[in-house]
Every structure is written in structure tokens, then in C-alpha cells.
Amino acid sequence: MSRTQYGSRRSIGSAAALALTIVTGATSAHGQVAPKAPEPATLAANAELAKTLPFANREDFEDAMRGFIGTTPDALVPGTGPRPVWNMKAYDFVKQSEPADSVNPSLWRQAQLNAIHGLFEVTDRVYQVRGFDMANMTIIEGDTALIIIDTLSTPDTARAALELYYQHRPKKPVGTVIYTHSHADHFGGIKGVISEAEVAAGKVQLLAPAGFMEAAVGEFIIAGTVMSRRAQFQFGGLLPPGPRGHVDAGLGKAGPRGAFTLIAPTGAIDQSMDRRVIDGVEIVFKLVPGSEAPSEMLIYFPQFRVLDMAEDVTHTIHNLYPIRGAEVRDGNLWSRYISEALETFGDKSDVVIAQHHWPVAGQARVVNLLKKQRDMYKFINDQSLRLMNEGYTPAEIAETLRMPASLEQEWSTRGYYGTLRQNAKAVYQKYLGWYDANPANLDPLPPVESARKSVEYMGGAEAVIARARADFAKGEYRWVATAMNQVVFAEPANRAARELGADALEQLGFQAESAAWRNAYLVGAMELRNGVPKVPAVGTVNPDTLRAVSNEQYFDFLGVRLNAGKAEGKTMVLNWNFTDSKQQFVMTLEHSALTYVTGKQAANADATVTLARGTLNAVTLQQTTFPDAVKAGLVKIDGDGRKLDDLLAMLDTFKVMFEVVEPKTLGH
Ligand SMILES: [Zn+2]
């Protein structure tokens, strides 16, 4: 396969608010080790799975094409950069009906479904654009204007989706935008649909569930860098599309290239079952906080008999825990929300839509889908807890649990995104955390030291590799990956270990039904073979998100950036005085910890910094520096100005591209 596309995808990192990954530029095509062929054990595993699943049932394909109106060739969104923002052409290979032998056949089927793109009529006055981004844009025709639900990940894809709609439907203006939840693939394209000026002028109202803004920027300010790096593994943005590379993301085809945007909502839905009439359209909002996102809501349209389940009911097992890392989600609560939606709207819905995947039409089929999704999350939650209470630990629970046959044979409850195994471990994590109660695991040696001792005890790297080769030939890829990980952490330059480890991960990837797992395995293989990709990755903040971050969140992030070593033994007290919000803070550095109290100024402060928050944002975005801002009169410092310089010198700047499948070379 051609390697020329290696590293060419600008990944926005996610369906999950990780659009910060913005990996720019392409690496050289030289010196990359190509993927290998599937091994006999992989061919056998994929063939075996194919026999167990109901491939003759083509209902999903009919559902995904129902109401098709039109599309543009390859759903191409050129954008302004050297490479298209979005191009389905790269995935033409999934059109062949026989799955490639290097792809799990069930995932192949999902990849075909996620390659369908276009404008679709759901029912009279309800439309969806699908396959132009990871997520869907839903468009409701009000009496005088459009109500748009979710605006995709980037302005380019959102603009293209709306243009496609206008090619086929009357050109009514956008009157209302609704964000269903706080993940970036649902709001990042907002500026492709409306401008800030239109919102400021009151031409467009923007509605979101309560707590939207805090949730939208929260996790990727505090833990954004590491999540961005981990998201590269979950979404496989740097993998070239192809049968031995990227085939899908499970929830959609992929993340588009480009940065996301954000405009703050003009109104919050803060009461569940809130009923409103917007431009002649009756809408019932049901809040579902703490389900798939911290801030999320479902939407029901009584006059259309359409139920929009946002991202709580899709055609996959979703994540109680995404492998990019996040706070764990509550499977019991998630199930209960679906149950409540079923009770309230199930007998009044002729079609269920979501902000990913395709609709399901027919009242009985709506109920069937919701019941199975409700029970799938409840099953994972309760059966994991049952086994926990019988003393089983995460790996044991994951290995033991199997879906009931009725759910295992259902396409919508198979694990294309989340998996039963990772979600079972998530339940353990939610209730019991990282420790399995076995004191041998309470304080083991860290990876490198543990690996060195293990390899030494096992008779040295050569002996380990020789035995692992034999196991590889037998198809024991999970163990070979584990063993080679030990050798690589003991001897990162050991080429044979890296290659055998990569080979094992790759076979696991070729067998994985979950697109996220496949991507993780294949990215791991790629990095063992070629090292950490040399792609410049820009920071995790942009002007839109920075503006959305509260002063408290901003200071929390400064605390996270404080390098304890550099702060050792230092103390200072700084007053902060914001001229725009009139907020005041006292910040204290002591014991290598940066704390603050609000609504105060300290009499004994080393210095008082007076400025507008916008100036602080400009400094953060490196559009100016504190000294320049002081000179320009934008910042006033009373007292010992060197203290602020001292503080800035103690802050780390995070780099996204750290080592994952081998020891870290960065210092701390
Ligand atoms: Zn999403």
C-alpha cells in the first residue's frame, strides 16, 4: 500500500470533545515500515466470526438509505488547506461486498454503513446530513426559518452540510441552533452555520443543555494534552485509509481536518421535559446529564412524532469509558434515561434519530431499538457489579462476561466504538477505582524497572523473543504483545522486539471488531516500527475555547502547569484584578502548589496584576507577552513585577507527541 498518506490527516481528535489534536503537516513518506498481511490465525478468527452473525439482514442498509435526496461526489469538502478537510473517496475500498481479509467482517459492515453520505428526509420537515463529518447535522424546517441541531466538528464540514441542504430545499435562514451536548463534533462547526455577529444581533438563538459551556471546555483544558495524544490511538487520525490501515471510527467514518469553533449559547435548557414552541415547531427537551456527556439532552417533536436520542442511542455499544481517557460514565443512569425516553415517547414515535448513524422508522422498531440499548447498558453495568461482588477483578470480569445471545445477534449492540470488555472495566473503575485489592499490585515497580527485572528473570531478551516467536506462530497475539512490551520497555532499541511486538498488535487490529481498538492496535504497531510520528502538534487551546474558559478554570489550569521542581521552596502572593468581569483573586504559591481565593485582594501581596481577561488570553495564545502588554498599557503591575515573571518561568508547556508504546525520553 502507498505510504504517501502517512501522517497526512489533521485529526480533530474526536467525537468526544478532543478537537484539540490539530496535528498539522505531513511527515515524510520515507523510511516508513509498511503494514503486513493477516496471519493464518487472523484469517481463521475473522472467518469464524463471519459465520456467527446475521449478515443476510440488510435492514440497516435500507434504514441508512431511506429518504435519500442527494449528495456531492465523495462528500468532498476541499477547505482551504493543501489537503481536503473531508473526502470519502479514500474509503472507496470498503464498497466491495467481500470484507478485506485484514478487517474484522463485522467492522467492515459498519464501515460500509458509515461511508454512506448525503442529505436525507427523515419525515416531512425533518432532514439530516450524514457522512460529512463524524456526526450528523439534523435540520428542522420551522415556519419561517431553520432549526439546526448540532453543527458538526468544523466550520468547513458544517458549511458544506448546510449548502447540500440548500441545493435541494428552500433557502430559509437559520433561526435557531441547538447543541445536543458538550462534545466538539456537535458544536465545533458552529461558525460555518452562523456568525458571532448574527448571534449578537439577535438574529439567531442558540440553545444548549444546562452546564454546556463548562463541560465543553472543562476536560480538555485540564487534561487536554494527554487526551489529544491518546485520541490519536482511538481515532487513528494518522493511519492511512486502507484495508490494512484506517477503515472507520465506529461512530462515524473519521474526524475531519481542521480546528473547531465555539459560540456560547444564548439560552440554556435547565429544566427537564421543558416544552417550547420554536417557529411553529413544538419541542420537548429531556435533560440527560451524566450519560454520554456531562451536559446532554434528548429532543422530542410531538407534531412530527420524531425522537432524537442525541448520542445516547446509536448503532453500537458506546463508551462507558473511551480509550482516549475520560471520567467514567454511569451505565445504570444511561440505561435509566433510555428507559424513561421509552416510557415517555416510545408509543408516540414513528422514527428515532440520533446525532450519529442512521434513523430507525416504524413505531415497533423504535421501541425495539430503545429496549435493546437500554438493556445492553444495564446488562454491562449490573453483570460487572455482580462479578465484582463475587470478588472478580477487572481483567477477569472482562474475560468472563458475554452478551446474552439476543443482544449478541443484534447489530446495534455490537462493539464498534466502545466494547463490552472496556466497559466492564469502566464499571469496576467507577465503583472501585484502579486498585484490585491484591497487595502485590499495590505498589509494583513502574514499567521500565519492572520490565528490566522481568526480562532478566526470563533469561534475557533473546530468550523471550525466541519463545514469543513460537507463540506468534500459534496465534497468541495478546500474550506476544504483552511480552514484547516488556522487552521494549527494558530495551527500547531492541529492533526484533519492536517488530515482533508491532506484528502482534497489528494482527490484533486486523481481528478487532471495534474501530477504536483496531485504530489503537494499528497506531501502536506503527509507532513500534517507526517511532513517534514527527508531526508538529499545536497546543490545546484556541481563541474560541479560551474565551469560554472561566477565570477559575484558567487558574486551575495554571496550577496544573506548575512544575513542582522549579517551584520548590518558592512562595509568592499575587493579586489578580480583572477589569472586564470585575473579578478579583488572590493567588498563593506555597509548598509547590498554586491556590487561589475569589473575591479578595491581599494586603501583603507581592504584586497586583490588573488587566482584562482578553489580554491574558492574548498572552496565552502568544499573540503578545506580558512585558509588551505592560508597555502597551494593557497590563498594570503594582509591586514587585519580577514575581509574575518568576511564576511564568515555573510553568510547563505540554507537548502532545510523547512516547506511549516505549519508555519516555522526556525529562520531568
Ligand atoms: Zn458525537
Side-chain angles (χ1 to χ4, degrees), residues 23 42 51 150 215 218 236 279 328 396 405 416 424 426 522 529 580 584 647 654:
V23 176
T42 294
K51 282 189 232 158
D150 290 353
D279 197 19
V328 73
E396 292 166 339
Y416 301 111
L522 297 189
R529 287 170 180 156
D580 42 5
Q584 295 188 320
L647 176 64
F654 302 129

Side-chain angles (χ1 to χ4, degrees), residues 233-250:
F233 285 75
Q234 177 174 330
F235 295 98
L238 294 172
L239 292 172
R244 293 182 190 174
H246 195 267
V247 300
D248 205 61

Side-chain angles (χ1 to χ4, degrees), residues 405-486:
S406 57
L407 295 181
E408 205 160 43
Q409 286 293 308
E410 182 73 21
W411 292 113
S412 64
T413 48
R414 296 200 64 90
Y416 301 111
Y417 191 49
T419 67
L420 173 60
R421 287 184 180 210
Q422 85 196 46
N423 284 346
K425 290 178 179 176
V427 177
Y428 193 98
Q429 182 188 324
K430 175 173 169 52
Y431 287 92
L432 298 175
W434 62 269
Y435 179 47
D436 66 2
N438 179 344
N441 299 324
L442 186 55
D443 194 25
L445 290 176
V448 170
E449 288 77 357
S450 165
R452 284 183 185 149
K453 295 299 274 187
S454 301
V455 171
E456 184 192 324
Y457 277 31
M458 290 191 285
E462 249 176 73
V464 180
I465 293 168
R467 298 185 77 156
R469 279 196 207 289
D471 283 342
F472 182 86
K474 286 186 270 177
E476 294 183 22
Y477 308 126
R478 284 168 75 191
W479 173 249
V480 174
T482 300
M484 288 306 96
N485 183 56
Q486 293 283 84

Side-chain angles (χ1 to χ4, degrees), residues 14-17 134-136 150 153 180-181 183-186 251 292 296 310-311 314 318 355-356 417:
S14 129
M134 183 84 79
N136 300 335
D150 290 353
S153 311
T180 59
H181 65 290
H183 289 158
D185 54 325
H186 302 267
L251 202 54
E292 185 263 339
E296 187 151 1
E311 200 163 325
T314 53
H318 208 295
Q355 296 305 122
H356 289 273
Y417 191 49

Side-chain angles (χ1 to χ4, degrees), residues 43-122:
L43 299 175
N46 284 345
E48 199 52 44
L49 180 80
K51 282 189 232 158
T52 67
L53 294 174
F55 283 91
N57 178 347
R58 301 281 295 174
E59 276 182 344
D60 281 331
F61 288 89
E62 291 158 24
D63 288 335
M65 283 307 293
R66 181 174 291 117
F68 176 75
I69 292 171
T71 190
T72 53
D74 303 317
L76 177 69
V77 182
T80 51
R83 291 168 180 282
V85 169
W86 186 258
N87 187 4
M88 214 50 113
K89 182 90 189 151
Y91 296 93
D92 266 357
F93 67 91
V94 301
K95 285 180 184 164
Q96 72 178 49
S97 58
E98 260 320 284
D101 57 10
S102 51
V103 181
N104 177 295
S106 176
L107 175 58
W108 185 265
R109 178 184 176 282
Q110 186 82 350
Q112 290 182 323
L113 286 158
N114 281 337
I116 295 170
H117 53 85
L119 172 69
F120 300 83
E121 184 185 41
V122 175

